[in-house]
Every structure is written in C-alpha cells, then in structure tokens.
Amino acid sequence: MCIYCNSAVSAHIISVEQGEDWSPGVSAYVRGGALHVEVDADDNYYFAAPVNYCPMCGRKLGGDAL
C-alpha cells in the first residue's frame, strides 16, 4: 500500500495552488475507493469518480493487493 491509496494518509497526487494570474488551483487524491478532484477557481468544483486501482501504485482498491 502506497501513501496515495492509504486512507489514513490521504496524500495528494497533485496539488497546485491558485496562482496570482488567476489560474485555478487543482488537487487530486484517492479516498474510499474513489479518485477525488477539486478545482479552486471563481466557482469551486468538486468531482469524485470510483476507481478500481490506485493511479500511483496500481494496487486494487477495496480488496487484496495485485
């Protein structure tokens, strides 16, 4: 189990702060068998999609390791 799919840690796969040029901030992480993506712009956007495998280490989520 890597730090990205370990639910106790919830490390960000990507985390970019909102820039001074008004570029949006973006963060993505795996929690509870889903890939969560947050975009911080004028309006905040949030998206979560179920994933079967960790995008970083490939471990099957919600079951035994590969």
Side-chain angles (χ1 to χ4, degrees):
M1 182 178 300
C2 73
I3 63 169
Y4 299 101
C5 61
N6 181 348
S7 61
V9 177
S10 294
H12 284 93
I13 295 169
I14 185 172
S15 182
V16 178
E17 297 294 323
Q18 187 169 3
E20 291 180 18
D21 60 354
W22 298 99
S23 59
V26 177
S27 64
Y29 54 92
V30 174
R31 181 181 297 149
L35 177 64
H36 297 260
V37 178
E38 298 177 15
V39 178
D40 184 19
D42 291 338
D43 295 326
N44 291 335
Y45 298 98
Y46 174 79
F47 177 77
V51 292
N52 294 322
Y53 298 92
C54 174
M56 298 306 286
C57 72
R59 182 180 75 87
K60 183 172 180 166
L61 299 174
D64 295 332
L66 294 173

